Amino acid sequence: VGFKGPAARLFEYLDKRNVGTVSEQDVAYMQRWRPPPYVFSTPDTEGLSELRRKFLDIYRTSLRVWRRCFDRNGSMSMSWEEFVDAVGELVRRTKLPPYSEKALAAIWRALDADCSGSITLREWDEPSHRALSEFKQWADRVHGSVVKAFRALDSNSGNAKLSEGELNRAARGDDPCRADLELIFEGLDVHGTGAILESGVRFLDVWDLSWEEWLHHEMNSRGEQFVATTGPTWRQESTGRRGSCSSVRTGFASTC
């Protein structure tokens, strides 16, 4: 019929019930499917570098860009729609020429290398991800949660705010925090007021870091063995472990 792609892979995608056959019902959805614009885009790494520079010119650190522009709801992931909104706000604020959808799609694909439909902090900025994950692990280990760690560090003033000096207390004691606290403070002080609010760290307590680390490990170690379903969940052939809609938003495999 003229299809030039890998037929076996296409069959695997369409056989969402895993029964070894494909029915008319299995392909009917494709009549209604409208793929996101980035699916067939070529990654634009130079465009990504330029856009990153524009964000940093205003917000100074990658973590602050992430929290203030990309991940305002603290989900620790950014959707295509959130990305488009953030760039649109940047354009309005700086009076830059607007980006076309094609240009944004190519920049998105430079971030979303596995075409999962969402971006994690690790994909946006590895040092920021490492600092926050180390801080969360320390807080959970020593204090039981990030909010409890925040309140322990804030015990002297009790004003539900942490100065940089108060945050640096985490690096003391028998089991000190090894995270880059300067990076964390500059990133979580999203408005540059010289303080981190308790409300500004609560998202770390609902961050499923162990799941994200497991998924990252599996994606790296198994690569193309990951197969996405066409629904809101995905499957991995050997374990069958399932993720939420936020893990794979579009139902594409990592090789799309």
Side-chain angles (χ1 to χ4, degrees), residues 1-144:
V1 294
F3 176 67
K4 298 181 180 180
R9 179 58 57 82
L10 176 62
F11 182 87
E12 197 169 31
Y13 293 162
L14 295 176
D15 182 21
K16 59 184 179 181
R17 296 170 296 166
N18 199 27
V19 295
T21 61
V22 174
S23 68
E24 181 178 346
Q25 183 180 1
D26 292 327
V27 299
Y29 80 95
M30 297 185 73
Q31 295 285 356
R32 304 183 302 275
W33 178 48
R34 296 294 181 269
Y38 55 80
V39 172
F40 305 108
S41 296
T42 300
D44 180 6
T45 55
E46 291 185 5
L48 173 59
S49 296
E50 178 65 16
L51 181 63
R52 188 189 300 273
R53 184 190 63 76
K54 291 174 181 177
F55 272 111
L56 292 177
D57 283 346
I58 298 175
Y59 300 106
R60 296 181 52 195
T61 77
S62 293
L63 180 55
R64 185 179 291 178
V65 173
W66 175 260
R67 286 294 291 135
R68 186 164 175 179
C69 305
F70 293 153
D71 183 33
R72 293 176 176 175
N73 63 4
S75 66
M76 292 304 286
S77 68
M78 170 176 58
S79 68
W80 162 251
E81 292 77 14
E82 288 172 321
F83 175 70
V84 171
D85 287 346
V87 175
E89 186 172 318
L90 174 72
V91 167
R92 289 189 293 273
R93 177 169 179 172
T94 59
K95 298 182 180 179
L96 292 168
Y99 285 82
S100 67
E101 184 180 79
K102 181 178 180 181
L104 282 182
I107 293 172
W108 171 271
R109 278 308 307 274
L111 279 170
D112 187 15
D114 59 2
C115 200
S116 66
S118 64
I119 303 297
T120 64
L121 177 59
R122 187 199 301 269
E123 290 172 301
W124 168 246
D125 186 60
E126 173 67 31
S128 296
H129 172 272
R130 183 168 57 252
L132 276 192
S133 63
E134 289 175 354
F135 180 72
K136 174 179 170 60
Q137 290 168 340
W138 168 83
D140 289 345
R141 182 178 68 251
V142 176
H143 296 280

Side-chain angles (χ1 to χ4, degrees), residues 134-186:
E134 289 175 354
F135 180 72
K136 174 179 170 60
Q137 290 168 340
W138 168 83
D140 289 345
R141 182 178 68 251
V142 176
H143 296 280
S145 74
V146 174
V147 168
K148 289 179 179 178
F150 183 100
R151 292 173 180 173
L153 296 171
D154 185 40
S155 60
N156 289 341
S157 60
N159 60 359
K161 298 179 181 179
L162 285 185
S163 66
E164 187 169 9
E166 288 174 318
L167 180 64
N168 286 337
R169 293 172 57 197
R172 306 169 191 165
D174 296 333
D175 189 359
C177 178
R178 307 293 185 185
D180 187 338
L181 297 176
E182 181 179 1
L183 185 156
I184 291 173
F185 184 83
E186 291 181 351

